[in-house]
């Protein structure tokens, strides 16, 4: 069988093709508004449930104030929201594979990684919209930023970088399974331990030592810690672990590493996929 035609425009064509695919996916999302609506409902439910059900029983530092817990909580909820978008990304790519759309793209003279890059960029836009709405809800339940708008925007930038990194994990899962349902399940199975064995919802100082070390070196925890520092929220860990002492740098390095590794694996899987 002859190989699929290749584009010849180098980096410029790769960027152009990626943006075309991203536009296609954004138009598709706009025509199925329930995708966006359902994506918003879950994180809002987490905010309300954790804030009012657990808020009065959680100890943050020396305080058991429910308001202190809400401010502590929000960095974790933001990070959980951007990482849970991974399951949707994987399911979307698996659905395109199942319907044969990926095969049609592969037959075109497009840059090899453009289909996946375009898809992940579209998912990033949807994630940014979700974060914006979630931030408004957080403000309504009492969350505040205390370090200025510039640092807050930097925190949201770190969150989007982490979310974009994890969508490449979802892309690899979506290319590796046969159905969208399997991609959704596969995308959630590993996300729960990543998000809950972390500093997102509880202070890691209250964990057993071996579990605390895992949580402190969790890439997810680094981003949560960085956001708490940039937002000026309570619960910033005093751990001696390097990621907790240098959370902004650790967050960036972890996210870039995940992008490099999983984008490489996903593009390779895409190239080797049976036509």
């Amino acid at each position: 069988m002859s190989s699929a035609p290749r584009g010849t425009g180098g980096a410029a064509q790769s960027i152009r093709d990626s943006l075309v695919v991203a536009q296609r996916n954004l138009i598709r999302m706009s025509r199925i508004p329930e995708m966006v609506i359902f994506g918003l409902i879950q994180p809002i439910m987490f905010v309300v449930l954790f804030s009012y059900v657990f808020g009065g029983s959680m100890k943050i530092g020396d305080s058991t104030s429910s308001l202190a817990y809400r401010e502590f909580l929000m960095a974790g909820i933001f990070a959980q929201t951007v990482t849970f978008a991974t399951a949707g990304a994987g399911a979307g790519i698996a659905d395109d594979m199942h319907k044969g759309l990926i095969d049609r793209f592969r037959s075109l003279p497009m840059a090899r990684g453009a289909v996946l890059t375009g898809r992940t960029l579209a998912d990033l836009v949807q994630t940014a919209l979700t974060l914006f709405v979630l931030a408004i809800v957080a403000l309504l339940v009492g969350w505040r930023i205390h370090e200025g708008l510039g640092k807050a925007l930097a925190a949201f930038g770190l969150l989007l970088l982490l979310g974009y990194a994890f969508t490449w994990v979802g892309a690899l899962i979506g290319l590796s399974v046969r159905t969208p349902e399997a991609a959704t399940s596969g995308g959630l199975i590993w996300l729960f331990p990543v998000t809950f064995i972390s500093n997102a919802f509880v202070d890691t100082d209250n964990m057993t030592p071996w579990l605390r070390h895992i949580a402190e070196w969790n890439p997810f925890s680094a981003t949560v810690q960085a956001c708490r520092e940039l937002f000026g929220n309570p619960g910033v860990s005093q751990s001696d672990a390097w990621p907790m002492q240098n959370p902004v740098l650790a967050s960036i390095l972890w996210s870039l590493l995940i992008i490099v590794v999983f984008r490489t694996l996903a593009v390779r899987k895409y190239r080797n996929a049976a036509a």
Side-chain angles (χ1 to χ4, degrees), residues 15-265:
I15 294 173
R16 183 171 61 251
D17 291 345
S18 297
L19 292 176
V20 169
V21 175
Q23 182 182 30
R24 172 256 175 194
N25 281 284
L26 288 172
I27 292 173
R28 179 170 175 263
M29 290 175 186
S30 68
R31 292 175 178 173
I32 312 176
E34 55 267 29
M35 292 175 59
V36 178
I37 294 173
F38 291 151
L40 290 171
I41 291 175
Q42 179 178 307
I44 291 174
M45 289 177 61
F46 270 108
V47 171
V48 175
L49 289 175
F50 274 82
S51 296
Y52 293 102
V53 175
F54 300 111
S57 59
M58 293 292 187
K59 185 176 182 180
I60 306 302
D62 296 324
S63 173
T64 56
S65 165
S66 60
L67 180 59
Y69 182 68
R70 288 173 204 166
E71 292 206 339
F72 169 88
L73 172 70
M74 284 317 305
I77 292 290
F78 288 144
Q80 183 193 52
T81 299
V82 300
T83 53
F84 269 44
T86 301
I93 290 175
D95 187 51
D96 288 344
M97 288 282 289
H98 184 67
K99 293 177 179 177
L101 183 62
I102 295 293
D103 290 338
R104 291 196 289 273
F105 278 134
R106 291 177 72 247
S107 69
L108 298 175
M110 299 176 63
R112 285 299 194 180
V115 174
L116 300 180
T117 301
R119 173 76 206 199
T120 55
L121 288 174
D123 289 329
L124 181 64
V125 173
Q126 183 177 358
T127 300
L129 174 62
T130 303
L131 271 182
F132 176 75
V133 175
L134 190 58
I136 294 175
V137 175
L139 290 170
L140 293 176
V141 300
W143 171 73
R144 295 292 184 270
I145 58 175
H146 304 283
E147 296 293 333
L149 181 60
K151 288 188 176 182
L153 291 176
F156 283 116
L158 291 177
L159 289 165
L160 291 175
L161 180 62
L162 179 71
Y164 182 68
F166 274 55
T167 56
W168 282 107
V169 181
L172 180 60
I173 293 173
L175 290 167
S176 303
V177 298
R178 296 182 179 180
T179 65
E181 293 79 9
T184 300
S185 298
L188 290 175
I189 287 173
W190 63 274
L191 278 173
F192 278 101
V194 166
T195 54
F196 282 92
I197 304 177
S198 72
N199 58 356
F201 307 111
V202 297
D203 190 341
T204 56
D205 290 341
N206 298 324
M207 295 181 178
T208 58
W210 66 269
L211 193 61
R212 183 174 67 246
H213 293 317
I214 294 174
E216 289 170 347
W217 284 89
N218 183 345
F220 184 85
S221 293
T223 299
V224 173
Q225 173 84 339
C227 289
R228 286 193 180 122
E229 286 193 359
L230 293 170
F231 289 143
N233 291 158
V236 175
S237 174
Q238 302 302 315
S239 168
D240 292 332
W242 185 84
M244 297 296 98
Q245 291 294 316
N246 305 275
V248 174
L249 179 58
S251 175
I252 294 172
L253 292 178
W254 273 123
S255 295
L256 292 178
L257 178 62
I258 293 170
I259 291 172
V260 170
V261 171
F262 284 93
R263 186 183 189 279
T264 301
L265 294 174

